[in-house]
Amino acid sequence: MDFFFPDSQDQISPFFDFHSEEHPVHRIRQRDDRYAHEALNVIPYNGILISKAIVDGLKDRGSKYTEAQRDRVYRTGAHDFYRADTSAGQLKIMGDCGAFAYVDSDVPPYSMDEVLNFYEGTRLDYGISMDHIVLAYLSAAQKKKGKTADPEWQRRQELTIEIAAEFLKASKGCKFIPLGVAHGWSPESYSDSVKALQKIGFTRIAMGGMVPLRTNDILEVVSTVNKIRKPSTQLHLLGVTRPKSMPEFASYGVTSFDSTSPFRQSFMDDKDNYYVVDSTYVAIRVPQSDGNPALRRRIQAGEVDQKVAMAAERECLRSLRAYDAGEGPIDDALDSLRSYEIIYDAKQRDRTETNRRTLEDAPWKSCKCGICDAVGIEVAIFRGAERNKRRGFHNLAMFRKRLDLNPTTKN
């Protein structure tokens, strides 16, 4: 099963100075910074998913790419831009339209020509038809109570199928492989979508709108779809990450999926920030005294002395590095963390015990992912993009290991 990692221009600078918190003066991001497949010792994914909404932007929302970056991805092609030629072979690149970016709109924002120009212009391997997400799912309990589909759900489903039919016809002669998108609000409605897309002529179908669903609901959907799925039809799960369920997904015709979850948990989750194969650790929070919005507000309000906050911040970093180098006791590091925590966290949450587990186990010391062995404890410190993204890259490596424990998801 192929794993595609959605791109949002997440790279790290190999020359970032963790002590001065500075980048080299002459740094050029696209030239110098590294993608996960360049920074890690093992390439964690089989391909990259890029979104038109991120590359080109929307009318009311700009691109996440600079004008120069956008020009280059069209000029040289996505494989060159993402440096997709690796020691393990060329990464596949899939494109979509970024439906979550326009989910509140009545209709998708792009014309068919704009979508085709994006896929063909960047020379993608796969292109997903423009879709419109159905924002609901009927549980078995709701259906028993007589709840039925909203007309808006049905409209979005029908519109997505209509667009898919036009997309497949318009993409004849294009070099990318087209995927239709199935949306629904129940196993039966998803099955109806897949049936319609197969009738149109799609042999690859992306299952959309299932990110918020429980694992059991997703399994029920794909198992129901499998009953009408043609043997030649391959399914892709959009945004779904369920490593333990991959064998069942594979048995129902799922051959690929995409997800940012392992990466985003490194800085979005409250506790599961650092992956190991069979567990997770909390990252050690040392927010920047001049960059943390909550702390900055407290300083401006006169609740916190800025000099005191900066001194506490520096002591945290010093004691953590001393501990990691075997030159300082764990209690000094924990005490300094707690002292700073009281300053920056108005809720006064005490993370001492979760921090102790992270520091005592020091999982980065035995990790050879290419990140941990290069920067040590810095990867476990929750602080700024360079550390947080490195931890996210590490998580991708561990996620790959988790997948590889399952033979259906090996490279």
Side-chain angles (χ1 to χ4, degrees):
M1 190 180 297
D2 287 343
F3 168 34
F4 287 80
F5 179 58
D7 166 73
S8 189
Q9 278 298 277
D10 293 308
Q11 298 158 273
I12 60 170
S13 170
F15 308 113
F16 180 74
D17 189 321
F18 291 99
H19 289 264
S20 68
E21 307 278 347
E22 293 179 347
H23 292 280
V25 175
H26 301 295
R27 170 202 183 204
I28 298 175
R29 283 195 63 191
Q30 188 57 36
R31 180 194 68 191
D32 299 328
D33 288 9
R34 296 290 177 263
Y35 295 102
H37 56 272
E38 297 176 302
L40 293 165
N41 289 334
V42 175
I43 297 170
Y45 37 74
N46 306 88
I48 299 169
L49 174 68
I50 67 173
S51 170
K52 180 172 173 58
I54 289 178
V55 176
D56 289 335
L58 297 168
K59 291 180 180 178
D60 60 344
R61 202 174 313 167
S63 168
K64 288 194 175 183
Y65 284 47
T66 64
E67 186 175 348
Q69 288 173 328
R70 184 180 175 278
D71 287 346
R72 183 175 175 184
V73 73
Y74 275 96
R75 185 177 70 254
T76 68
H79 292 88
D80 179 84
F81 184 87
Y82 296 104
R83 300 190 284 272
D85 287 314
T86 74
S87 58
Q90 189 179 74
L91 295 172
K92 304 170 186 176
I93 303 185
M94 180 183 291
D96 72 4
C97 292
F100 274 106
Y102 54 82
V103 67
D104 295 327
S105 302
D106 288 335
V107 294
Y110 305 117
S111 70
M112 188 58 64
D113 282 345
E114 287 174 326
V115 174
L116 292 175
N117 287 341
F118 174 60
Y119 293 162
E120 281 286 271
T122 57
R123 276 91 88 189
L124 303 187
D125 298 300
Y126 304 97
I128 299 176
S129 177
M130 185 166 56
D131 60 317
H132 215 19
I133 297 172
V134 173
L135 298 170
Y137 187 81
L138 290 179
S139 66
Q142 288 175 316
K143 285 188 283 188
K144 282 183 180 180
K145 291 179 180 179
K147 186 170 177 59
T148 58
D150 188 290
E152 174 63 12
W153 307 350
Q154 295 176 323
R155 185 188 74 85
R156 286 175 176 242
Q157 182 191 57
E158 291 168 2
L159 179 59
T160 296
I161 292 171
E162 289 172 9
I163 292 171
E166 183 186 355
F167 176 71
L168 186 61
K169 184 178 180 180
S171 65
K172 296 293 184 184
C174 293
K175 294 182 179 179
F176 64 84
I177 296 172
L179 284 80
V181 186
H183 279 294
W185 51 89
S186 65
E188 296 76 21
S189 59
Y190 270 105
S191 184
D192 289 341
S193 284
V194 171
K195 191 182 300 183
L197 291 167
Q198 289 184 141
K199 186 175 181 180
I200 290 168
F202 284 97
T203 57
R204 289 179 179 265
I205 297 173
M207 306 294 290
M210 297 199 294
V211 173
L213 301 191
R214 298 175 303 172
T215 300
N216 287 341
D217 290 331
I218 298 172
L219 285 168
E220 186 179 6
V221 167
V222 294
S223 66
T224 301
V225 164
N226 190 54
K227 295 174 184 177
I228 57 89
R229 181 182 65 85
K230 294 179 180 179
S232 59
T233 299
Q234 299 180 44
L235 303 180
H236 175 91
L237 300 182
L238 285 166
V240 173
T241 310
R242 304 289 193 278
K244 292 182 180 179
S245 299
M246 289 302 172
E248 288 179 271
F249 289 150
S251 71
Y252 297 136
V254 176
T255 59
S256 60
F257 69 100
D258 67 85
S259 177
T260 59
S261 182
F263 178 78
R264 289 175 61 81
Q265 275 194 285
S266 71
F267 55 89
M268 294 291 288
D269 202 272
D270 190 52
K271 58 181 181 179
D272 297 326
N273 308 124
Y274 181 100
Y275 281 26
V276 291
V277 172
D278 57 357
S279 184
T280 58
Y281 289 86
V282 67
I284 304 162
R285 284 160 170 76
V286 186
Q288 294 159 306
S289 58
D290 61 349
N292 182 271
L295 179 54
R296 190 165 60 244
R297 286 193 295 269
R298 297 190 71 198
I299 290 172
Q300 291 171 346
E303 298 175 14
V304 173
D305 185 307
Q306 187 174 28
K307 291 182 179 178
V308 172
M310 292 178 68
E313 174 192 8
R314 287 194 295 268
E315 176 57 21
C316 280
L317 295 172
R318 186 207 64 78
S319 62
L320 286 170
R321 289 165 180 156
Y323 171 72
D324 192 45
E327 298 171 356
I330 189 172
D331 287 337
D332 281 2
L334 292 170
D335 288 346
S336 66
L337 288 169
R338 181 57 183 153
S339 295
Y340 188 36
E341 190 174 58
I342 292 171
I343 293 172
Y344 74 77
D345 191 344
K347 294 182 180 180
Q348 301 282 303
R349 288 179 292 177
D350 188 347
R351 296 188 178 90
T352 299
E353 289 311 307
T354 53
N355 285 338
R356 182 184 296 277
R357 175 175 176 263
T358 300
L359 290 175
E360 285 182 343
D361 290 1
W364 58 88
K365 286 185 176 292
S366 57
C367 180
K368 304 300 181 185
C369 68
I371 297 289
C372 297
D373 38 345
V375 303
I377 197 172
E378 305 293 344
V379 74
I381 298 176
F382 199 123
R383 174 187 174 84
E386 286 294 340
R387 290 178 179 83
N388 294 344
K389 287 184 178 182
R390 277 173 167 78
R391 190 166 56 257
F393 284 8
H394 158 85
N395 285 354
L396 288 172
M398 292 302 103
F399 181 68
R400 181 76 256 173
K401 281 192 173 183
R402 292 179 182 183
L403 291 177
D404 285 348
L405 290 175
N406 171 6
T408 66
T409 55
K410 284 188 177 180
N411 284 321

